[in-house]
Amino acid sequence: MNGLTGFSRIQKYVLVVTTGRSGSSFFTNMVNDNAENAFSEHEPNVISGDQSTIWYYEDNQAGLNEIVERKLARLKRGEQVASLPVSDTLHGLIRKTPWKGRVPRVPVREIYVEVDNGALKSWGPAFVEAVPQVDIIHLTRDPMVQAKSAENRGSYPNPDRPYFLWPTWERNHLPLSADITAKLSAFQLALWYWIEMETRYAEFFASRTLLELDLEELNDPVRVAQIFDQLGIRHRPLDLGGGRNAGKRESFVTEADCAEARELIALLPAGTLDRISNTYGLKDL
């Protein structure tokens, strides 16, 4: 165990960083359905995801630090974060509800697994500084399939929802002009988001990562058992049948989607994809 200083019950902190539509809900429920000495929370925000992203773009480091401090204070008392009462949240901006297993119905245990793409969007650097012992897992998915899933579900960049980002905003790694952004399709916006998130991962977390995982690996009980063993998670006979956050339509990538992907990549700075360790063939489209 890591022996986290100041934590009353939790001995190991695992942070799973990922983009949306990449298996984050499933990972949380996989842990909570099977682990005996671990529990997981999905996006246990002490403020809304919109607000934390706004603070990132405003370069409000004090606010981002306070997010991390509030999150850690709760865990150090041996309490869950996602089930925070409104009176105990940062400025009362909590948005999490007991839905789809995101507030675990299990007790606080010695291994804490947080699954959160907010780390890539806003508070990640502050968190790594505060918890240097964290075990980081990078959970990825084929970006073409992820973008199609996001398009089908409507979970792609939106100028009215900071949580979903927007290409024109300052502090993006891959900013695009308003004229270019206005011409992008929903699929292209979703693919831009994946590339933006992966370049942030490369900067903030890549050098500290313990495990690189693809979503498809979580369908293999043997591989899941290996992952649990590496993390020190004891488990019952594995049940991987629940908690999938399925979309309404199949994420089938067409030739037209491939053409749109090539158009988007041509708009990005040269060498952008070189920053990403696994592009799942985007370079070869």
Side-chain angles (χ1 to χ4, degrees):
M1 294 296 174
N2 288 347
L4 297 173
T5 302
F7 285 74
S8 60
R9 298 185 190 177
I10 298 168
Q11 298 299 308
K12 175 183 283 191
Y13 202 128
V14 179
L15 178 63
V16 182
V17 294
T18 185
T19 63
R21 311 304 305 154
S22 297
S24 57
S25 296
F26 179 60
F27 199 103
T28 285
N29 287 290
M30 180 182 74
V31 172
N32 289 334
D33 288 346
N34 296 284
E36 295 179 338
N37 64 332
F39 75 107
S40 180
E41 295 185 293
H42 182 275
E43 298 180 354
N45 300 324
V46 295
I47 68 166
S48 73
D50 284 346
Q51 183 63 61
S52 62
T53 307
I54 288 171
W55 283 351
Y56 170 81
Y57 282 106
E58 292 177 344
D59 198 17
N60 183 348
Q61 194 59 47
L64 299 177
N65 288 339
E66 192 173 355
I67 291 173
V68 176
E69 291 168 4
R70 289 291 186 106
K71 187 192 302 281
L72 296 179
R74 189 79 179 187
L75 293 172
K76 286 180 179 180
R77 296 198 300 268
E79 302 168 357
Q80 296 170 6
V81 177
S83 55
L84 277 168
V86 172
S87 61
D88 202 20
T89 64
L90 181 55
H91 309 310
L93 296 173
I94 192 71
R95 68 176 180 86
K96 189 59 63 182
T97 57
W99 177 66
K100 291 190 177 179
R102 292 183 175 182
V103 177
R105 296 177 176 85
V106 295
V108 174
R109 293 167 173 164
E110 63 188 30
I111 299 176
Y112 177 57
V113 182
E114 177 177 353
V115 186
D116 205 326
N117 60 41
L120 295 178
K121 295 176 182 176
S122 57
W123 47 263
F127 177 86
V128 169
E129 183 175 348
V131 190
Q133 313 98 317
V134 66
D135 284 343
I136 294 172
I137 294 176
H138 183 211
L139 177 62
T140 59
R141 186 183 191 184
D142 184 315
M144 298 289 284
V145 178
Q146 188 272 344
K148 198 65 183 179
S149 177
E151 177 190 12
N152 289 341
R153 196 174 176 87
S155 300
Y156 51 84
N158 183 327
D160 299 320
R161 281 294 312 278
Y163 183 72
F164 290 112
L165 308 190
W166 191 241
T168 64
W169 292 341
E170 295 182 10
R171 297 199 74 199
N172 284 324
H173 283 208
L174 304 171
L176 296 174
S177 71
D179 290 343
I180 289 175
T181 299
K183 298 175 183 178
L184 297 181
S185 67
F187 177 80
Q188 288 173 318
L189 287 168
L191 186 59
W192 171 87
Y193 168 81
W194 186 92
I195 299 171
E196 170 73 18
M197 288 294 95
E198 288 302 306
T199 59
R200 295 190 191 192
Y201 163 78
E203 177 180 348
F204 298 149
F205 293 117
S207 64
R208 304 174 51 86
T209 294
L210 175 69
L211 279 173
E212 290 273 359
L213 298 177
D214 178 84
L215 171 59
E216 296 302 320
E217 295 180 64
L218 305 185
N219 293 316
D220 180 356
V222 174
R223 179 61 179 136
V224 172
Q226 293 173 342
I227 295 166
F228 279 4
D229 289 344
Q230 187 166 353
L231 296 174
I233 296 177
R234 300 189 305 274
H235 60 88
R236 298 175 287 276
L238 289 171
D239 175 7
L240 305 180
R244 298 176 188 274
N245 192 358
K248 296 180 180 180
R249 290 186 289 172
E250 184 178 356
S251 302
F252 180 74
V253 177
T254 67
E255 286 299 322
D257 295 325
C258 292
E260 288 192 354
R262 289 191 290 270
E263 291 175 1
L264 173 67
I265 292 169
L267 296 172
L268 302 177
T272 291
L273 296 181
D274 294 337
R275 309 183 209 175
I276 301 171
S277 59
N278 184 3
T279 65
Y280 291 82
L282 280 183
K283 293 181 180 180
D284 302 321
L285 285 176

